Amino acid sequence: MAPTRTRLLHAQLADLARHAFGLTPGAPDLAPGTDFEDAEGVLVATTSPDGLTVHEIPRWRSPASVRAELQARGWTEPAAWVGTPPESDAGLPDRLLVLLPVAGTAPDSAVISLGAAVWADRAAGRETIVVPVPVTAAAPEVTWLELATAYGAGPVASHVDPAPPHTGGRAVMFTGLSGAGKSTIAGKLVELLLEGGHTVTLLDGDEVRTHLSAGLGFSKADRDTNVRRIGWVAAQIAKHGGLAVCAPIAPYAATRADARRLVEEQAGPGSFVLVHVATPLAECEARDRKGLYAKARRGEIAEFTGISDPYEEPTDAELTIDTRSSSVEQSARRVLDHLGGS
């Protein structure tokens, strides 16, 4: 029987890289009898009765390859700097090996490119090599001295700010019953963001259904798929520092949690903002211009949220809005204020 093929998350790939590079003892805990691949489908490892076999680590540079580069340049134990540069370049040596601990981020995350750009500006005129490494900034799996030594550097000049990496991107997801006012508030929020000079992408529920999720129905499985697709697209936008605004019904707590995880894995903690538009069912029915609730009551529409299918009210929303007491303008500005006046 052929082994099961499983795709590893970015954090799991970093764990695998640390093991393969000898940075941490012990193999990662992976399911037996399985082939493991990265996001591009590259086979990276296999587990068998004989143990774990690592085939390749396509993303991360090994310590051996970095040491070989240092040797080729004629660098002997250059000073190491782990993480972000100092406020001033005064005292920085002429040669620096910069190690960016960015385990868990995507290879094309803005955290990495921005980190390299900041160093290029701060260390202008100096010889600098910037290497992203598979170590967690806030809770490093190896000491900074051990990390620097593994990569061929000398003394550690400083260490990383322990704050988790954040791209600066955000994803706002509005959730609520049909007719609650999600799309209207989302649209107004987009207007306010654009007025503030920001580039923002609106992922409206109806438009996503027409394009991104064409062909999906309204079964629980299809609804879950629709919301996860929205979460994935929002994560790609936030990963590069962008703003995404989403307005699906998103009736299930587990699927909303999946969307949150997708975004925060790519853009950092706090980058996902859930807004519950908590307009009551009776008010939504009273506003129903399309007559959808009436059709659902008559049994003409199956699995209709709030009537024949449940809506699981969020317990983890950053904001809760009742449109009976908050206008569209007021509601949108509440969200804008939460975003820090973005």
Side-chain angles (χ1 to χ4, degrees):
M1 181 182 295
T4 304
R5 189 94 169 191
T6 298
R7 179 162 296 181
L8 293 179
L9 300 175
H10 296 305
Q12 293 173 306
L13 285 165
D15 193 11
L16 182 67
R18 289 191 298 270
H19 165 68
F21 298 159
L23 295 176
T24 52
D29 185 16
L30 298 174
T34 304
D35 285 342
F36 296 95
E37 63 181 30
D38 66 5
E40 282 69 46
V42 175
L43 179 66
V44 295
T46 300
T47 51
S48 68
D50 297 327
L52 173 66
T53 300
V54 179
H55 300 292
E56 63 175 305
I57 305 293
R59 170 184 178 181
W60 303 100
R61 288 190 64 186
S62 70
S65 71
V66 175
R67 292 196 303 269
E69 180 180 350
L70 297 181
Q71 184 177 14
R73 292 189 178 206
W75 291 20
T76 303
E77 293 190 337
W81 196 290
V82 183
T84 54
E87 292 298 322
S88 170
D89 64 354
L92 283 178
D94 292 334
R95 290 176 174 174
L96 268 174
L97 176 64
V98 176
L99 304 174
L100 296 179
V102 288
T105 64
D108 57 350
S109 170
V111 167
I112 300 173
S113 57
L114 289 174
V118 169
W119 268 105
D121 178 65
R122 195 64 51 82
R126 294 173 172 83
E127 293 184 80
T128 307
I129 300 174
V130 179
V131 181
V133 294
V135 176
T136 307
E141 296 82 1
V142 56
T143 69
W144 300 138
L145 179 58
E146 291 170 331
L147 183 68
T149 301
Y151 281 86
V156 179
S158 185
H159 63 82
V160 72
D161 180 343
H166 197 295
T167 66
R170 308 290 286 276
V172 180
M173 177 174 282
F174 290 88
T175 176
L177 295 168
S178 176
K182 303 180 300 299
S183 294
T184 306
I185 299 171
K188 185 61 182 179
L189 175 63
V190 169
E191 287 182 19
L192 295 175
L193 289 167
L194 291 173
E195 288 173 4
H198 296 277
T199 300
V200 58
T201 301
L202 176 63
L203 301 171
D204 182 66
D206 291 340
E207 291 189 2
V208 167
R209 279 278 180 179
T210 300
H211 303 288
L212 183 64
S213 294
L216 293 181
F218 290 89
S219 65
K220 185 178 188 305
D222 281 358
R223 292 181 185 195
D224 285 346
T225 298
N226 180 56
V227 174
R228 288 192 182 102
R229 287 180 182 177
I230 292 172
W232 184 87
V233 173
Q236 301 311 299
I237 294 167
K239 175 174 69 176
H240 297 293
L243 288 165
V245 176
C246 325
I249 291 175
Y252 308 121
T255 319
R256 294 192 298 260
D258 284 345
R260 182 187 292 276
R261 176 184 56 78
L262 285 167
V263 171
E264 295 195 341
E265 279 181 353
Q266 301 292 347
S271 55
F272 183 88
V273 178
L274 185 66
V275 181
H276 179 203
V277 185
T279 309
L281 176 62
E283 181 68 17
C284 292
E285 287 197 71
R287 298 176 181 176
D288 185 20
R289 296 190 183 94
K290 298 179 181 178
L292 298 178
Y293 281 100
K295 290 180 180 179
R297 294 282 188 191
R298 294 194 298 267
E300 297 173 15
I301 302 177
E303 298 176 304
F304 193 86
T305 301
I307 305 299
S308 52
D309 203 68
Y311 177 77
E312 299 173 359
E313 294 200 359
T315 59
D316 60 342
E318 278 72 21
L319 290 171
T320 299
I321 293 171
D322 187 340
T323 57
R324 295 174 301 175
S325 56
S326 179
S327 69
V328 171
E329 177 88 17
Q330 290 170 332
S331 299
R333 289 197 177 277
R334 276 192 62 194
V335 181
L336 187 69
D337 289 344
H338 182 85
L339 295 174
S342 299

